[in-house]
Amino acid sequence: MQRCLQLAKLAAGNVAPNPMVGAVLVYNEKIVGEGYHKKFGEAHAEVNCINNVKDEDRNFIKKSTLYVSLEPCSHFGKTPPCTDLIIKNKIPKVVIGCKDVYTEVDGKGIKKLQDAGIEVITGVLEKECVELNKRFFTFHQQQRPYIILKWAESANVKISSPPTPLHKWRGEPLPQPSPQVGSELYARTFISNEFTNRLVHKWRSEEAAILIGTNTALQDDPSLTTRLWHGNNPVRLVIDINLRLPSNLKIFNKETKTIIFNKQKHEEDGNLIFYKIKEEGLLTQMMKAIYELQIQSVLVEGGAILLQSFIDAGLWNEARIIRNEELIIINGINSPELKNALLQKQEKYFTDTISYFLSSS
């Protein structure tokens, strides 16, 4: 089962909204086949495992034990039921890490195998198997995405410095104000170092979506992509209730799917989607919309007000805080105040310390 988990993790960021699953076929204490679900819409772990059995070992399949980290599916989706394949290959014993909470499965796969006379053992490394697919389980059990809060702060707990107009930063003449916004362009304060910046891009590649508010989009003009890490770009989620963001910002470049939550219009233009929601009960409205859009996880990257609203609502699962131990920001914006948090671990990368928290609520 440990090997199943190792294999499953290889697909991180590539199978959502499906879960990560690994499978291992064992005959006489020897692994004769293994596989994992590599990409959404493609073959499941059990299929790849059985297909990877060498020709000289195929006669052992009907005498082997199949280990799989998640209950095999018993319904037709993008692919046929894995239970049918197991039954067809006359595998006599199946060891399952944890049950699948998806309504189309949820114990039906186990029952189908048992009804076919197959011995089924469940709950092996169950905690680890559930942890592997915490996004999937949260999504289906709580009808909302798995939420990770992330921010970088200075040694004196400031999330950013007062915005500095670019013409002052560069010593250039005063620019013309933006006609869409009626304000100057501002210089961005970089708090974390190059190493942790790259790590953040890895985090982005592991989540289905990334969320920012209007002020962050306006002041930082972020790309919100994984350009510093090999991996899929997350869906960009942006709150712009009154549609005041200028169209020349990077979030509008259609490089990846972008959803603008607003209260004025609902329309789609390729990779750019304007999603109309009510301003009252904003977080509740967004969670409902994100669930309906089948987005299983969200990395919330700021700013301070947006992050604090999630914290105050108790609407988060993890928090990752990067602190630059050598940077002091004068008259900056205070970092969010984390509540009901359990420190899990800390990592040190040059000037930066990363603290990982789980929600205790």
Side-chain angles (χ1 to χ4, degrees):
M1 193 60 71
Q2 290 281 12
R3 179 58 180 160
C4 289
L5 291 169
Q6 287 179 336
L7 291 166
K9 290 175 184 176
L10 296 175
N14 292 314
V15 296
N18 283 357
M20 294 177 282
V21 184
V24 172
L25 193 66
V26 177
Y27 172 73
N28 199 22
E29 301 299 319
K30 176 188 174 184
I31 293 177
V32 294
E34 60 181 29
Y36 64 99
H37 182 33
K38 296 181 179 181
K39 189 175 181 181
F40 175 70
E42 296 184 359
H44 286 187
E46 299 91 330
V47 176
N48 289 329
C49 175
I50 293 171
N51 287 344
N52 284 337
V53 177
K54 295 178 181 178
D55 290 341
E56 60 266 31
D57 292 331
R58 298 201 69 82
N59 61 314
F60 297 139
I61 293 177
K62 61 184 179 181
K63 302 176 184 178
S64 298
T65 297
L66 177 68
Y67 293 80
V68 59
S69 57
L70 186 71
E71 176 183 2
C73 65
S74 55
H75 67 292
F76 282 88
K78 294 282 185 182
T79 60
C82 291
T83 49
D84 290 1
L85 181 68
I86 295 168
I87 294 168
K88 178 183 177 182
N89 280 274
K90 299 180 180 180
I91 297 172
K93 184 177 180 179
V94 178
V95 179
I96 298 170
C98 64
K99 285 180 61 178
D100 189 337
V101 296
Y102 181 47
T103 53
E104 292 292 332
V105 187
D106 195 16
K108 299 181 183 71
I110 293 171
K111 185 177 186 304
K112 191 169 185 179
L113 294 175
Q114 291 173 331
D115 289 347
I118 295 172
E119 180 186 355
V120 179
I121 296 174
T122 61
V124 176
L125 295 184
E126 184 174 19
K127 182 179 178 181
E128 291 85 347
C129 291
V130 171
E131 172 66 17
L132 172 70
N133 284 303
K134 55 194 175 185
R135 297 159 181 82
F136 177 81
F137 280 90
T138 297
F139 183 81
H140 288 288
Q141 291 176 322
Q142 299 184 33
Q143 284 77 55
R144 69 160 176 84
Y146 189 89
I147 299 169
I148 302 172
L149 310 180
K150 170 263 168 184
W151 70 84
E153 64 185 22
S154 64
N156 61 331
V157 199
K158 303 293 182 182
I159 198 170
S160 65
S161 61
T164 303
L166 279 181
H167 73 281
K168 293 183 180 179
W169 184 273
R170 297 171 175 165
E172 298 172 349
L174 181 68
Q176 291 294 319
S178 166
Q180 295 99 328
V181 183
S183 62
E184 300 173 20
L185 296 175
Y186 291 94
R188 182 179 180 184
T189 301
F190 290 95
I191 295 177
S192 52
N193 62 41
E194 291 184 6
F195 188 93
T196 51
N197 282 343
R198 193 173 295 272
L199 181 59
V200 167
H201 283 234
K202 177 180 182 292
W203 294 347
R204 290 177 177 178
S205 73
E206 295 168 347
E207 308 309 328
I210 182 170
L211 172 67
I212 62 170
T214 307
N215 289 337
T216 299
L218 187 60
Q219 294 175 10
D220 294 350
D221 190 17
S223 296
L224 304 181
T225 61
T226 58
R227 60 195 179 279
L228 300 181
W229 190 268
H230 178 72
N232 295 324
N233 289 324
V235 175
R236 299 184 289 204
L237 307 176
V238 183
I239 303 171
D240 186 18
I241 290 298
N242 296 306
L243 293 180
R244 64 189 186 93
L245 293 175
S247 60
N248 62 345
L249 294 179
K250 295 185 181 73
I251 56 169
F252 293 110
N253 62 15
K254 298 184 181 180
E255 181 180 357
T256 187
K257 189 174 183 179
T258 303
I259 300 172
I260 310 294
F261 291 114
N262 71 97
K263 66 177 184 180
Q264 296 184 17
K265 65 179 180 178
H266 197 109
E267 63 183 41
E268 184 172 346
D269 179 15
N271 266 350
L272 181 60
I273 300 171
F274 290 90
Y275 199 104
K276 188 176 181 180
I277 60 174
K278 298 177 182 177
E279 189 171 3
E280 299 79 19
L282 179 62
L283 289 187
T284 301
Q285 292 283 323
M286 281 200 308
M287 291 304 103
K288 182 180 178 181
I290 292 169
Y291 178 74
E292 290 174 351
L293 289 163
Q294 294 290 295
I295 294 172
Q296 288 190 1
S297 64
V298 177
L299 181 65
V300 184
E301 285 210 13
I305 295 175
L306 179 61
L307 286 161
Q308 194 65 58
S309 68
F310 276 90
I311 295 168
D312 292 343
L315 198 58
W316 63 282
N317 299 92
E318 292 183 34
R320 301 171 185 175
I321 304 174
I322 304 169
R323 178 174 294 181
N324 186 327
E325 307 288 359
E326 298 180 3
L327 177 66
I328 300 295
I329 294 177
I330 307 301
N331 298 323
I333 299 171
N334 291 332
S335 298
E337 182 182 348
L338 199 59
K339 305 171 185 175
N340 301 318
L342 299 173
L343 178 63
Q344 299 300 297
K345 65 176 181 178
Q346 289 184 313
E347 297 171 345
K348 178 76 172 178
Y349 299 108
F350 306 103
T351 58
D352 296 348
T353 298
I354 306 177
S355 299
Y356 297 82
F357 297 89
L358 288 179
S359 172
S360 62
S361 59

